[in-house]
Amino acid sequence: GGLGAFCVWVCRRLKAQRGEQEAIREGLQAILHDRIYQAHRYYSLLGFCPLGDKKNIEYLFRPYAALGGNGTGKQAYDDIMNLPTEAAGGKEIP
């Protein structure tokens, strides 16, 4: 009897931990998506993205993709990577 109750308790605890881990994973994915999305808005308005900043966005995108992110985050990443690395007409980064 006691062993059965212990097994039930362990199973419930493991299930709860999986739910917590999934929530953390989803939250991290959401934060990475937000950062990529905000960078997309900024650099699209600017019209270019310096090489060092593209590298930073790549560091954000890799774990985002590994966590299952795609769709708008992938499109934003691709758009940023396709921007020129230097300003046209001498534009400066504000």
Side-chain angles (χ1 to χ4, degrees):
L3 182 58
F6 177 72
C7 287
V8 169
W9 177 83
V10 168
C11 288
R12 285 183 182 160
R13 185 65 192 133
L14 289 174
K15 186 176 179 181
Q17 284 179 342
R18 273 182 265 163
E20 292 168 1
Q21 289 173 348
E22 181 65 17
I24 291 168
R25 187 195 69 75
E26 288 176 2
L28 181 56
Q29 184 180 351
I31 291 168
L32 291 167
H33 180 274
D34 180 65
R35 290 299 305 128
I36 294 165
Y37 180 78
Q38 292 300 325
H40 177 265
R41 289 176 50 109
Y42 176 76
Y43 291 112
S44 293
L45 288 172
L46 197 59
F48 71 100
C49 182
L51 190 58
D53 293 353
K54 284 186 178 188
K55 192 69 175 168
N56 183 53
I57 294 161
E58 185 179 338
Y59 287 134
L60 294 170
F61 182 74
R62 274 193 242 143
Y64 169 77
L67 289 168
N70 54 29
T72 57
K74 171 78 167 109
Q75 184 61 53
Y77 170 78
D78 289 342
D79 289 351
I80 293 167
M81 292 301 125
N82 288 323
L83 287 171
T85 57
E86 296 179 359
K91 228 187 240 184
E92 297 288 327
I93 293 180

